[in-house]
Amino acid sequence: MREKILYALGLAGALLLLRNLYVILLQLPDESAQGAIYRIIFFHVPSWFTCFTGFFVAGVSSILYLVKKKPVYDTFAVATVEVGLVFTIIGLITGMIWARIIWGIWWTWDARLTWAFITCLIYAGYLMLRGAIDEATARARYAAVLCIFAFTSVVITFKAIEWWRTQHPGPVLSIRTRGGNMDPAMESMLYLNWLALMLISAVLTAVRMNQEGVLRQVEGLRRQVHASS
Amino acid sequence: MDQRNFTYMFYGLAAVWAVLAIYVLTLVSRESRLSKQLNGLERMLSEKETRKG
């Protein structure tokens, strides 16, 4: 039953993504100032929204782990962080490709980009920390604490374009500007692509959670083998 | 400019698919490694139990 739901979610995400690609590439017009390259925004912004959502969920799950001590919350946190990190990398790469055309450079150390990079490093550090601790309970506890503190970096990254003057464009979406600087057709496509990426990330998270369960089994069996030898 | 604009747009879209594909391949290889480890350990434990019994 669980597998069927996963297949259905994955199929829905893939079909929605294909439909969105058709609209993005063949129906929406070029942006007047940027030309065709602006279409990258339909993956760049939703990727960041997807990873921020994942990191938020991981933070909540980590708090729940520290309160309730149930391993399932730790499993959920590691799965959402790993999948979130994939979308962070997509966000960084797509942003750099857009910047190469619009700014003429791949990268600049402005507040938004720098904090985005720091966020990426912190969550990569979270995964490395997990790999460095053998004992499962200690690993889960230290990782949960780091995951909760790491979310401050997400908030700073999100708010950086309001707090500092950056080379990165300021807010354009109507939820942040309360008026909207973006064409409604383009903005709705952005949210639809976010939905598609969220569906795909849900499937990837479920697969990763399953693997974490198997990893715990392997660790348990390894202890049994050592104890019996 | 227009040609470069299109080329880089496709680089961007290709990067999205490439990163996702690499991650899926990582998941697949981890899945097979874990199931191999699990089977190996289960076999090892059952052999030890039969030897003891």
Side-chain angles (χ1 to χ4, degrees):
Chain A
M1 181 63 187
R2 191 167 167 265
E3 273 190 5
K4 277 182 186 168
I5 293 172
L6 279 182
Y7 285 134
L9 278 178
L11 188 67
L15 288 176
L16 186 59
L17 208 54
L18 281 177
R19 182 254 175 207
N20 290 351
L21 265 176
Y22 171 74
V23 176
I24 290 166
L25 293 174
L26 300 175
Q27 288 195 337
L28 286 177
D30 283 358
E31 206 262 350
S32 57
Q34 300 184 21
I37 192 77
Y38 93 97
R39 289 182 173 85
I40 282 184
I41 200 178
F42 296 116
F43 286 90
H44 176 71
V45 176
S47 294
W48 282 109
F49 283 178
T50 306
C51 75
F52 286 169
T53 310
F55 295 150
F56 173 73
V57 170
V60 172
S61 197
S62 298
I63 293 171
L64 287 172
Y65 174 78
L66 291 178
V67 173
K68 299 192 172 176
K69 307 277 184 230
K70 285 187 180 168
V72 67
Y73 293 119
D74 176 56
T75 305
F76 194 42
V78 65
T80 47
V81 166
E82 193 176 290
V83 174
L85 196 59
V86 171
F87 285 98
T88 308
I89 292 166
I90 290 175
L92 283 174
I93 293 175
T94 49
M96 285 167 70
I97 292 170
W98 175 85
R100 182 69 188 89
I101 291 293
I102 300 299
W103 299 340
I105 47 171
W106 292 102
W107 186 267
T108 181
W109 292 103
D110 81 346
R112 183 47 164 304
L113 275 69
T114 306
W115 273 105
F117 186 57
I118 290 170
T119 303
C120 182
L121 291 182
I122 290 175
Y123 283 99
Y126 167 91
L127 295 177
M128 287 160 78
L129 174 81
R130 296 186 69 91
I133 303 172
D134 284 333
E135 209 279 304
T137 315
R139 177 176 60 215
R141 198 171 58 242
Y142 291 133
V145 173
L146 175 60
C147 193
I148 293 163
F149 280 106
F151 192 70
T152 53
S153 176
V154 173
V155 176
I156 297 171
T157 307
F158 185 72
K159 297 295 276 183
I161 47 174
E162 292 170 22
W163 291 345
W164 295 288
R165 201 185 306 158
T166 57
Q167 174 135 0
H168 188 283
V172 289
L173 299 178
S174 54
I175 46 161
R176 290 185 81 176
T177 57
R178 293 204 172 81
N181 300 331
M182 201 176 187
D183 185 272
M186 293 175 180
E187 189 167 346
S188 62
M189 178 45 58
L190 206 138
Y191 291 126
L192 269 176
N193 227 26
W194 181 27
L195 176 64
L197 294 189
M198 283 298 289
L199 287 170
I200 289 169
S201 87
V203 175
L204 293 174
T205 304
V207 172
R208 182 66 187 84
M209 277 183 78
N210 191 43
Q211 291 187 347
E212 196 64 16
V214 178
L215 185 68
R216 277 176 207 279
Q217 267 180 288
V218 167
E219 286 174 347
L221 284 175
R222 233 179 240 153
R223 276 195 296 274
Q224 277 188 45
V225 170
H226 281 298
S228 63
S229 60
Chain B
M1 174 65 187
D2 269 355
Q3 186 53 47
R4 270 184 81 217
N5 209 321
F6 264 106
T7 311
Y8 275 69
M9 181 190 79
F10 280 104
Y11 286 164
L13 298 184
V16 174
W17 295 106
V19 173
L20 278 176
I22 289 168
Y23 183 59
V24 169
L25 288 176
T26 310
L27 283 177
V28 170
S29 93
R30 190 191 284 150
E31 186 91 34
S32 74
R33 181 168 43 85
L34 281 172
S35 74
K36 264 183 206 164
Q37 284 180 352
L38 190 68
N39 292 338
L41 285 164
E42 278 172 348
R43 207 178 319 118
M44 209 185 285
L45 262 178
S46 67
E47 277 170 14
K48 277 188 179 177
E49 275 169 21
T50 45
R51 247 182 276 154
K52 274 183 190 170

